[in-house]
Amino acid sequence: MNYFRKGLLISLLLIALPVVQARAATTSFDGAWNVRIASSSEACGNGATVSIGISNGQVASNGAAMSASGRVADAGSINVTLSSGIKRAVGFGRLSGTSGSGTWKGPMCSGTWTAEKM
């Protein structure tokens, strides 16, 4: 009976280990981030900076003027939707360590973004 209990315990640990490792990978991007947004068109404005937060791989806004939502994958790929009133933009890119970059697109504008972890 003792061998059965040891075998069961080892099996449970082997099953739980990948789940714990996956959770740790997702949370490596958690924290506050500053995102600089650049547009390819002068008519759309240029040089805006927004603050977002990431918690357990989920993106959320840190400011009242801008709403952010999205998800960061374990490997660092990110998709984000930013909205302010009726304005809306969708961004895609990659985070790596304490920085990131990508592209964004709205109904009439598009451009690039860079991010830095605070």
Side-chain angles (χ1 to χ4, degrees):
M1 196 61 109
N2 199 13
Y3 290 113
F4 176 75
R5 287 183 187 169
K6 287 181 182 178
L8 181 60
L9 180 60
I10 290 172
S11 296
L12 289 174
L13 288 174
L14 290 175
I15 291 170
L17 186 60
V19 173
V20 172
Q21 289 174 337
R23 181 170 292 161
T26 300
T27 60
S28 66
F29 301 108
D30 284 3
W33 292 77
N34 274 335
V35 181
R36 292 178 62 58
I37 301 170
S39 173
S40 54
S41 169
E42 286 184 29
C44 296
N46 201 359
T49 301
V50 297
S51 180
I52 64 168
I54 300 174
S55 177
N56 293 322
Q58 296 292 323
V59 177
S61 63
N62 282 341
M66 181 81 54
S67 172
S69 62
R71 180 91 179 121
V72 181
D74 291 343
S77 63
I78 183 172
N79 60 13
V80 178
T81 300
L82 294 176
S83 57
S84 178
I86 61 170
K87 296 178 183 178
R88 185 179 181 102
V90 177
F92 300 94
R94 179 164 302 282
L95 300 178
S96 177
T98 60
S99 64
S101 63
T103 59
W104 66 271
K105 185 171 183 156
M108 298 172 64
C109 299
S110 62
T112 60
W113 61 265
T114 57
E116 196 171 333
K117 193 171 186 180
M118 301 187 332

